[in-house]
Structure formats: structure tokens, C-alpha cells
Amino acid sequence: MRAHHSHCFSAFLTSHSLTNQSNGSNYPQAVCKAAMAEVGGSYKDFLTQVNELRSIAQKIVADGKGILAADESTGTIGKRLSAISLENNESNRQKYRQLLFTTPNLGQHISGVILYEETYHQSTDSGERFVDLLVKQGIVPGIKLDLGVVPLAGTLGEGTTQGLDKLAERAAGFKRGGCGFAKWRCTDCHLRKKIDYGTVVYEIHNNHFFYMI
């Protein structure tokens, strides 16, 4: 028997670095205030973050709109380009994304776009950053934060997602650059061997836990 699971987590980026403060949104006000004092923040700052999170979320889930996932890795987008006999190089990847982001009336149908890090740094042929182009159309730019899959030690053919190191620092940088939300995708688990089950499940939950905090 083969189990095939895909895990994808999204988070909204506020104007401050991601901290445990974001977990307080469902707590009573007194608890939130106590938590802010403990970590050296302020309740006013916390409310500012909550309001920003709410605003971003409302934009993304706007009626009649959806999220465009334009965060294909270099290898994955290479398959799309090879299907139309194009070389997988940065220039062609830029032109492909530019074609998507300059679609007429895109903002009427798309509320958010998940970007690959390379795409986040790219611009149109006229020099306008893709991030700015999307914002101008009322679209919330997002960023894929995980850095791909590496083999998971102690298993037979399983993998784990990398990118937790310096995650808060990277997220803050993308926020300053115009991104409003983020995506984290944990690797599929195939569980070809029963012996892998405990290790794989632990790794998936551990991966998601440290991403969310």
C-alpha cells in the first residue's frame, strides 16, 4: 500500500518579523497583552499586525478571484518550456512570467500570486519590478519560502523540505520588498516501507511546527 500526501501551509506577512505574537490573535485580550509584555512588544503593535493580517486575508479571498501559483522551481518550469521547444534559462523564465503578469484585466480575476524567489527579483522588459506590477493591479504578491527537498536520513527514498534556517530573516526581507503572504510546502511522503512511517510523520509535523512559529 502506498500513501501519497501533500502538505502546503500559507502564512500572511505583517510589517514586523514573524514571531510568536501572531499566535495570540485568538486569545483573550488580557492574555495577548501579557504575551506582548513578555516578548518585549506592545499590545498596540500587536493590534496593528492583526489589522494588517485581516486586510491581506480579505484581499486574497475576495469573491470571484483566486490565487495564481507562479512559483514553479527552475526544474519544474523547465518542463513547461521544453514542451514548446524553449531553453530553460533565466531570460525565458522571465518572459514566461511576464506574459502571465501582463495579462489584460488580470486583477479582475486574480487576488494573489505566489512567486518563486528568482521571479521576485525579476522585472518586466521595461524595468518595472514584477512585485510592483502586481501591486499596481490590486494583486497581493506572495513568496514561496521553502528551498526544496533533500533526502530524509534514516528512510528509504523519503525527503524533507529545507529552508527553516534564517526563515524569519528571509520572510522579513520579502515583506520589505512588497510581499504580503507566504507559502511553505512540505514534501510528499510515499511510505514505501512501513519502517519509515514514524520518522516521516514526525518530520512533517516538526517541519510545519517550526514554520508556523
Side-chain angles (χ1 to χ4, degrees):
M1 171 181 273
R2 173 177 171 176
H4 190 77
H5 303 284
S6 180
H7 303 266
C8 180
F9 274 65
S10 292
F12 301 104
L13 305 181
T14 68
S15 55
H16 301 277
S17 299
L18 300 181
T19 70
N20 288 348
Q21 297 174 21
S22 60
N23 294 331
S25 59
N26 294 322
Y27 292 172
Q29 290 188 2
V31 177
C32 292
K33 290 179 180 179
M36 294 304 97
E38 182 178 349
V39 299
S42 70
Y43 186 56
K44 182 178 180 180
D45 290 340
F46 173 75
L47 290 180
T48 299
Q49 292 184 54
V50 170
N51 290 335
E52 186 177 6
L53 292 173
R54 182 179 293 113
S55 175
I56 293 171
Q58 288 174 340
K59 290 179 181 177
I60 291 176
V61 299
D63 289 344
K65 296 185 179 182
I67 296 176
L68 171 62
D71 61 329
E72 302 98 329
S73 66
T74 301
T76 299
I77 198 171
K79 299 175 183 177
R80 305 187 192 284
L81 295 174
S82 65
I84 53 176
S85 302
L86 287 178
E87 182 182 350
N88 183 12
N89 56 42
E90 184 176 357
S91 176
N92 284 335
R93 293 192 293 270
Q94 179 270 344
K95 292 184 183 302
Y96 172 75
R97 265 60 182 263
Q98 178 175 251
L99 183 65
L100 294 177
F101 303 156
T102 57
T103 300
N105 304 315
L106 183 67
Q108 295 181 18
H109 309 283
I110 298 298
S111 58
V113 173
I114 308 172
L115 302 172
Y116 190 56
E117 186 164 354
E118 177 186 76
T119 313
Y120 164 84
H121 292 291
Q122 289 177 330
S123 303
T124 65
D125 292 340
S126 62
E128 183 175 21
R129 295 177 64 228
F130 282 154
V131 171
D132 296 334
L133 173 64
L134 294 171
V135 171
K136 187 170 66 176
Q137 299 176 80
I139 299 170
V140 182
I143 185 70
K144 177 183 178 181
L145 284 173
D146 67 83
L147 299 177
V149 178
V150 293
L152 177 60
T155 67
L156 299 174
E158 300 292 346
T160 184
T161 305
Q162 59 182 343
L164 290 173
D165 293 340
K166 298 184 178 180
L167 178 61
E169 179 182 331
R170 292 175 57 234
F174 287 125
K175 172 60 182 178
R176 289 191 296 270
C179 289
F181 70 101
K183 166 191 169 181
W184 178 274
R185 182 178 182 274
C186 192
T187 182
D188 297 337
C189 56
H190 305 291
L191 302 180
R192 296 185 180 90
K193 299 292 183 180
K194 187 175 181 180
I195 192 173
D196 292 342
Y197 183 79
T199 303
V200 172
V201 171
Y202 174 81
E203 176 65 19
I204 289 174
H205 284 81
N206 187 60
N207 200 301
H208 284 160
F209 174 76
F210 282 105
Y211 169 67
M212 294 305 292
I213 64 173

